[in-house]
Structure formats: structure tokens, C-alpha cells
Amino acid sequence: VDAVSSGAPVGTVHRIDPGDGPLPRDLGLASTHAFSVPDALELGRALGRAPRRVVVFGVEGAAFGMGDPVTADVEAALDGVAESVLAELEEGEDDA
């Protein structure tokens, strides 16, 4: 789960399953590190160390500066994201 800046309305939840290929670079997954989420996953693939299954949830943000408050639209999306993550985890248990 990470912040996203793609131009979609603030609070939009993006679900990306990169099982068939790389994550879209234009989604603007905002990371707190210079090495982005897509970079980390692609490196894992190149090294043969990528997880068996990855699902990325991105919440469209409005402000990305250090100390910027969470907007009401983003906060409103968080319960749904948490429920979606739990559903993905339960689905993963069924696949095991």
C-alpha cells in the first residue's frame, strides 16, 4: 500500500496486480526512498527473488510534502483499502 500521484481524483484507490508484467511507471507510486516500488519488484524479478504473488494498492494523494496532513478524501479511502488488503490476504491463504 502506497501513495499514488496519477492525476486521478484524490482518494481514488488503484489495485495493480503485476503478475503479468511490470508495474505501470506512469502511476507515480510515491515512495519515501529513491528506489521505487516498481524498481524493487523489477530487481527482485531480475535476481530471481521476487515474491510469488504481489498486489499493490495505491491511494491517490493530494499533498506529498514532509509533514503534509492526510486529506479527508484520502482518509475516507483508508477503511476500504484495509478491507481490500484483508480480502487479498484471505484469498492468498486459499491459494496456499
Side-chain angles (χ1 to χ4, degrees):
V1 178
D2 210 342
V4 173
S5 176
S6 71
V10 174
T12 299
V13 176
H14 304 270
R15 181 192 178 278
I16 302 107
D17 185 345
D20 295 328
L23 286 166
R25 297 251 175 222
D26 61 342
L27 195 55
L29 292 164
S31 179
T32 57
H33 308 283
F35 206 64
S36 70
V37 173
D39 292 334
L41 289 172
E42 290 307 309
L43 178 61
R45 284 185 182 148
L47 297 174
R49 305 286 304 201
R52 183 177 55 85
R53 181 169 182 254
V54 174
V55 175
V56 176
F57 287 93
V59 179
E60 191 76 30
F64 296 92
M66 183 69 75
D68 285 344
V70 174
T71 64
D73 290 330
V74 170
E75 191 168 340
L78 296 182
D79 284 340
V81 171
E83 290 174 12
S84 296
V85 169
L86 291 173
E88 292 284 345
L89 291 171
E90 289 173 4
E91 182 181 311
E93 287 177 358
D94 294 340
D95 293 341

